[in-house]
């Protein structure tokens, strides 16, 4: 027992998050009971969380290196569209014999497209020094644009029936896509905590300049991180097209806000260097449980927006007040030279 | 009075935008002789006016060092609520509708400012949150009914159809909408506030360095309130212009356009780190964006290509500016980013 307390005391974010999540689940269990927590209910929740989970994990990685990736959803859309085109039979006719090859090809296309989008982001951020938020704002519009230009904005349906089984098949009681998500979380977590690269990611996120002077090749850290983000985006695209059996650009636009929300909720600092994959998993559970139960209560999807936006502000605000000794601006000291210069410049 | 703006040297961004625009216009004009007409210009003025108003607001936020993504939601909330109010009260008066929308917008903006100031939040995250709260609350309280032409207040229909002058041709007529002078007025007002008032100077100072700004006695809260209320008020105005122009009221409209507006302002040279940005750059950025949005048909391209062109130019220009900055930093032995 003592060990448990010690463990919880070490990570305040984890303790608070775990406590809130447990409380929410208990309350909802008492209110909804088996409607939510039957085997079928849990399975459908785990399927729903899957496609979004990859995107949230990608966003979390970006925030670890003091970045943000506004392009994740657009990149997933583009990867999905490319894969769906491959598997639509428009370019390569599909016969029962070559179906499995086509599926392999389609999955590869999704992963490669995802990787390329990530590498482009990484290149712009690392080699051209564009701030991540601007770089990914630009590529978000670009990826959406490429996808829309290819498809004329319409939806592309898949013609490979056996691929849809990915969304319905299970491993034991667990849906296949959820197992994929779990695997991704474990792999990313291991990379971050057990490898030299992971250590560098945290160091770089904590202080970019210090990391550079301690001999970390910062450009490579950025590139590799965005490459990982790209692969996760490709995986998200695979799960999305398996479930929807079609793809169009603009799918899941609301995921962007949710991804930022869930990552911040999990204690990741937008300024970089802080955040644990385990916490992100718990935050995902919390969000999904709330979302599913709001559907069960028959609230409108807009109510969900209010709750999510409200939680985002509340959590950030709480973090601000909990942060020990947060410095506040003082107003008593004389003007500094820099601001005098700034004022002078603005006057010109 | 305006000579100083006209005489100042153009920033590299502005020159670039002008160059790209000139090339684009030459290419389009060579492909389609119809392109060079007043009709095209008037069309652009009509379609781009809403975006221009939002962009001018966005410019002020960027100069203050913030990033607001809630203005599209505020435009819809302001516009939609004021139309509902006008219908409920039976007041079919344009001035009333606009005033209500502007006031609602400014109020919502002040909520943004207060949250950002007192929670010391990243402005992006705060406004992401408030955007969904504002829009969600509106839909829950007021519903999400769309209004077709028959239900739009008459004064708004008249407003949307009003032209300052019309040119008649054999079988068509077109004119310059009333929106255009409004946009010009907003531009001049923004310019005046930014460069000719104390509060405008505070915006630059806060954007450059909030800590130093507060030390020379600039009230940061007041500056932020001004910035976000101004953006909110402009958004409210834009909501009415947008609905009037369409003659159709849809409470789910505009959502998702905020990032494109920010992008247009950013390629105009506004720095995300605050303290920098010009009205001319913003205007050029929006015009270029609107050119891609509205005139690709003259090249025989469908509207599916809109984002592709804009995105490509955006990525290219961002890469170019920051690469130059990076090389300058390297020479000057500056090791922090930006």
């Amino acid at each position: 027992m003592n060990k448990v307390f010690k463990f919880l005391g070490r990570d305040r974010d984890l303790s608070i998050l775990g406590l809130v999540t447990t409380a929410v689940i208990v309350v909802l269990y008492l209110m909804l009971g088996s409607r939510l927590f039957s085997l079928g209910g849990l399975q459908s929740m785990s399927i729903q969380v899957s496609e979004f989970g990859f995107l949230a994990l990608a966003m979390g990685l970006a925030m670890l290196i003091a970045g943000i990736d506004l392009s994740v959803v657009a990149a997933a859309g583009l990867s999905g569209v490319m894969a769906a085109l491959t598997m639509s039979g428009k370019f390569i006719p599909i016969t029962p014999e070559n179906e499995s090859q086509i599926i392999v090809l389609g999955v590869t296309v999704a992963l490669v497209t995802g990787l390329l989008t990530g590498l482009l982001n990484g290149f712009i951020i690392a080699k051209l020094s564009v701030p991540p938020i601007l770089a990914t704002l630009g590529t978000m519009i670009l990826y959406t644009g490429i996808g829309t230009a290819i498809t004329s904005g319409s939806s592309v349906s898949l013609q490979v029936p056996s691929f849809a089984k990915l969304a319905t098949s299970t491993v034991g009681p667990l849906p296949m896509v959820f197992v994929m998500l779990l695997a991704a979380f474990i792999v990313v977590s291991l990379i971050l905590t057990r490898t030299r690269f992971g250590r560098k990611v945290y160091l770089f996120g904590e202080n970019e300049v210090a990391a550079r002077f301690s001999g970390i090749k910062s450009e490579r850290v950025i590139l590799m991180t965005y490459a990982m983000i790209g692969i996760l985006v490709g995986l998200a695209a695979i799960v999305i097209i398996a479930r929807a059996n079609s793809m169009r650009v603009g799918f899941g636009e609301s995921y962007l806000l949710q991804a930022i929300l869930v990552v911040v909720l999990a204690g990741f600092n937008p300024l970089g260097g802080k955040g644990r994959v385990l916490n992100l998993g718990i935050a995902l559970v919390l969000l999904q449980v709330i979302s599913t139960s709001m559907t069960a209560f028959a609230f409108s999807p807009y109510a969900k927006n209010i709750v999510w936006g409200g939680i985002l502000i509340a959590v950030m605000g709480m973090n601000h007040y909990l942060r020990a000794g947060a410095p506040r601006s003082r107003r008593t000291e004389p003007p500094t030279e820099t601001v005098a210069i700034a004022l002078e410049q603005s006057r010109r | 009075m305006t000579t100083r703006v006209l005489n100042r040297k153009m920033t590299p961004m502005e020159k670039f935008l002008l160059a790209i625009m000139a090339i684009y216009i030459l290419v389009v004009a060579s492909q389609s002789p119809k392109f060079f007409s007043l009709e095209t210009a008037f069309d652009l003025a009509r379609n781009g006016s809403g975006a221009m108003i939002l962009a001018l607001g966005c410019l002020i936020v960027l100069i203050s060092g913030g990033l607001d993504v809630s203005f599209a939601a505020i435009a819809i909330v302001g516009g939609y609520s004021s139309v509902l109010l006008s219908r409920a009260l039976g007041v079919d008066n344009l001035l009333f509708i606009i005033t209500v929308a502007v006031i609602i917008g400014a109020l919502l903006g002040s909520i943004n400012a207060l949250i950002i100031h007192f929670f010391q939040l990243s402005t992006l995250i705060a406004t992401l949150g408030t955007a969904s709260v504002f829009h969600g609350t509106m839909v829950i309280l007021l519903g999400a009914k769309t209004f077709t032409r028959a239900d739009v207040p008459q004064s708004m229909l008249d407003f949307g159809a009003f032209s300052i002058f019309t040119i008649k041709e054999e079988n068509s007529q077109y004119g310059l909408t009333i929106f255009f002078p409004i946009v010009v007025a907003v531009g001049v007002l923004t310019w005046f506030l930014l460069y000719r008032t104390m509060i405008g100077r505070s915006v630059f100072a806060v954007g450059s360095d909030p800590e130093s700004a507060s030390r020379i006695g600039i009230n940061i809260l007041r500056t932020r309130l001004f910035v976000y209320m101004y953006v909110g008020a402009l958004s409210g105005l834009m909501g009415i212009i947008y609905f009037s122009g369409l003659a159709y009221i849809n409470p789910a409209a505009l959502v998702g356009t905020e990032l494109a507006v920010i992008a247009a302002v950013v390629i105009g040279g506004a720095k995300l780190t605050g303290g920098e940005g010009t009205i001319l750059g913003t205007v050029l950025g929006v015009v270029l964006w609107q050119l891609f949005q509205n005139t690709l048909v003259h090249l025989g391209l469908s509207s599916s290509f809109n984002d592709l062109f804009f995105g490509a130019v955006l990525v290219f220009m961002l890469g170019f500016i920051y690469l130059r900055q990076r090389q300058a930093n390297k020479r000057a032995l500056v090791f922090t980013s930006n």
Side-chain angles (χ1 to χ4, degrees):
Chain A
M1 202 60 197
N2 231 343
K3 264 187 182 166
V4 176
F5 278 122
K6 227 179 198 172
F7 179 71
L8 288 180
R10 223 174 44 197
D11 189 336
R12 200 197 63 218
D13 286 332
L14 179 63
S15 330
I16 295 178
L17 196 60
L19 226 78
V20 171
T21 310
T22 318
V24 166
I25 290 179
V26 168
V27 169
L28 289 173
Y29 182 77
L30 292 177
M31 289 170 82
L32 290 162
S34 56
R35 269 166 73 199
L36 199 57
F37 296 97
S38 62
L39 181 64
L42 289 175
Q43 276 180 345
S44 79
M45 270 197 270
S46 57
I47 290 178
Q48 277 173 35
V49 82
S50 293
E51 52 195 58
F52 170 61
F54 288 108
L55 298 176
L57 188 55
M59 184 68 81
L61 276 175
M63 281 203 187
L64 278 185
I65 56 165
I68 191 167
D69 193 343
L70 297 179
S71 76
V72 276
V73 175
L78 178 60
S79 310
V81 160
M82 298 296 278
L85 281 173
T86 316
M87 293 191 267
S88 68
K90 269 182 200 150
F91 301 106
I92 316 165
I94 295 167
T95 58
E97 289 82 53
N98 72 359
E99 194 179 323
S100 50
Q101 279 109 302
I102 296 276
I103 289 178
V104 173
L105 184 66
V107 168
T108 317
V109 166
L111 288 176
V112 170
T113 315
L115 181 61
L116 287 177
T117 60
L119 283 175
L120 179 61
N121 285 337
F123 173 78
I124 298 171
I125 295 165
K127 299 286 179 186
L128 307 179
S129 299
V130 181
I133 187 167
L134 289 185
T136 55
L137 169 60
T139 54
M140 177 192 85
I141 295 174
L142 181 66
Y143 299 154
T144 311
I146 298 174
T148 322
I150 295 175
T151 60
S152 311
S154 56
S155 140
V156 184
S157 342
L158 275 65
Q159 301 300 333
V160 280
S162 46
F163 184 63
K165 282 190 196 123
L166 178 65
T168 51
S169 65
T170 53
V171 179
L174 295 174
M176 184 65 197
V177 286
F178 187 65
V179 174
M180 285 168 63
L181 180 68
L182 272 184
F185 265 76
I186 293 169
V187 170
V188 171
S189 175
L190 287 178
I191 290 177
L192 286 177
T193 53
R194 296 274 183 272
T195 66
R196 291 157 71 92
F197 169 70
R199 184 90 343 226
K200 286 178 190 167
V201 166
Y202 280 99
L203 282 175
F204 176 83
E206 190 69 49
N207 189 334
E208 187 186 334
V209 180
R212 193 181 300 176
F213 277 102
S214 61
I216 290 174
K217 294 197 174 64
S218 42
E219 290 179 6
R220 195 186 294 170
V221 173
I222 300 177
L223 263 176
M224 299 248 304
T225 309
Y226 278 93
M228 271 169 76
I229 291 174
I231 293 173
L232 289 170
V233 158
L235 286 169
I238 292 169
V239 173
I240 292 169
I241 54 177
R243 198 172 65 89
N245 210 25
S246 72
M247 190 66 195
R248 84 186 150 71
V249 175
F251 178 90
E253 268 165 352
S254 64
Y255 280 163
L256 189 58
L257 163 71
Q258 290 174 39
I260 296 177
L261 158 68
V262 78
V263 170
V264 170
L265 195 65
F268 283 63
N269 188 336
L271 300 175
K274 290 193 181 58
R276 291 176 60 184
V277 172
L278 174 64
N279 297 12
L280 182 52
I282 299 176
L284 270 179
V285 170
L286 176 64
L287 204 67
Q288 185 59 46
V289 170
I290 292 179
S291 151
T292 308
S293 49
M294 288 189 76
T295 317
F297 284 125
F299 283 133
S300 93
Y302 292 104
K304 232 184 262 183
N305 278 351
I306 302 183
V307 171
W308 278 328
I311 292 179
L312 181 63
I313 296 169
V315 167
M316 292 292 284
M318 210 169 67
N319 280 347
H320 169 65
Y321 283 110
L322 284 177
R323 222 176 293 140
R328 274 292 178 86
S329 314
R330 289 157 305 234
R331 301 210 177 118
T332 45
E333 286 164 55
T336 59
E337 210 170 332
T338 43
V339 82
I341 294 168
L343 272 176
E344 191 52 45
Q345 279 169 349
S346 78
R347 206 163 276 148
R348 252 186 266 145
Chain B
M1 194 170 80
T2 55
T3 47
R4 229 198 261 191
V5 169
L6 297 176
N7 283 345
R8 107 181 131 78
K9 265 195 186 157
M10 285 177 91
T11 63
M13 289 302 283
E14 291 166 359
K15 285 183 198 155
F16 251 127
L17 283 172
L18 266 183
I20 293 180
M21 217 177 284
I23 295 169
Y24 177 79
I25 289 175
L26 280 180
V27 170
V28 180
S30 70
Q31 294 297 310
S32 157
K34 267 196 196 156
F35 174 72
F36 252 133
S37 64
L38 273 177
E39 194 174 355
T40 314
F42 288 173
D43 258 6
L44 267 177
R46 182 182 174 80
N47 293 333
S49 41
M52 190 70 87
I53 291 180
L54 289 184
L56 287 165
C58 181
L59 171 70
I60 288 207
V61 179
L62 280 171
I63 290 177
S64 81
L67 189 63
D68 184 351
V69 292
S70 68
F71 53 80
I74 291 182
I76 291 303
V77 173
Y80 192 70
S81 331
S82 88
V83 169
L84 280 196
L85 189 66
S86 121
R87 283 170 55 88
L89 297 177
V91 185
D92 195 348
N93 180 322
L94 186 69
L95 201 63
F96 172 78
I97 296 177
I98 289 186
T99 312
V100 171
V102 166
I103 290 175
I104 293 176
L107 283 177
L108 296 181
S110 70
I111 296 178
N112 274 340
L114 293 176
I115 289 178
I116 289 167
H117 190 79
F118 286 109
F119 289 174
Q120 306 258 307
L121 288 191
S122 137
T123 50
L124 168 74
I125 289 174
T127 51
L128 259 180
T130 53
S132 55
V133 172
F134 292 160
H135 193 250
T137 310
M138 178 196 84
V139 175
I140 299 289
L141 292 181
L142 303 177
K145 201 170 162 327
T146 55
F147 296 107
T148 49
R149 193 174 189 91
D151 295 316
V152 178
Q154 187 58 41
S155 58
M156 280 173 74
L157 291 178
D158 296 341
F159 179 54
F162 189 84
S163 293
I164 352 179
F165 60 85
T166 359
I167 295 172
K168 284 200 176 68
E169 280 180 0
E170 284 159 34
N171 41 20
S172 69
Q173 65 165 17
Y174 50 88
L176 185 61
T177 54
I178 181 84
F179 301 157
F180 185 70
I182 295 179
V183 172
V184 173
V186 170
V188 171
L189 175 67
T190 309
W191 172 83
F192 181 79
L193 286 172
L194 269 181
Y195 293 97
R196 288 291 177 274
T197 64
M198 198 51 215
I199 191 81
R201 294 234 190 295
S202 326
V203 174
F204 274 100
V206 169
S208 300
D209 186 349
E211 180 68 32
S212 311
S214 87
R215 288 187 187 189
I216 57 165
I218 286 173
N219 187 331
I220 301 220
L221 175 60
R222 197 188 299 155
T223 311
R224 285 202 174 122
L225 272 173
F226 162 73
V227 167
Y228 291 94
M229 286 177 79
Y230 186 68
V231 178
L234 287 188
S235 306
L237 173 65
M238 185 276 183
I240 299 301
I241 286 188
Y242 178 78
F243 285 144
S244 304
L246 277 187
Y248 175 75
I249 292 171
N250 173 10
L254 280 179
V255 178
T257 56
E258 56 275 349
L259 289 176
V261 173
I262 294 172
V265 180
V266 165
I267 59 169
K271 274 263 166 63
L272 208 64
T273 38
E276 262 182 64
T278 62
I279 303 240
L280 178 61
T282 304
V283 171
L284 292 177
V286 174
V287 171
L288 187 68
W289 171 39
Q290 288 299 316
L291 275 173
F292 287 139
Q293 289 283 313
N294 294 301
T295 63
L296 285 177
V297 280
H298 292 282
L299 287 176
L301 290 171
S302 76
S303 62
S304 326
F305 284 85
N306 292 352
D307 279 349
L308 179 61
F309 277 77
F310 184 51
V313 169
L314 187 61
V315 169
F316 175 78
M317 294 205 46
L318 285 173
F320 186 82
I321 319 161
Y322 283 95
L323 185 62
R324 273 172 49 130
Q325 174 84 40
R326 174 192 167 104
Q327 286 160 346
N329 281 353
K330 227 176 213 170
R331 279 195 297 275
L333 296 180
V334 173
F335 293 101
T336 47
S337 50
N338 313 311

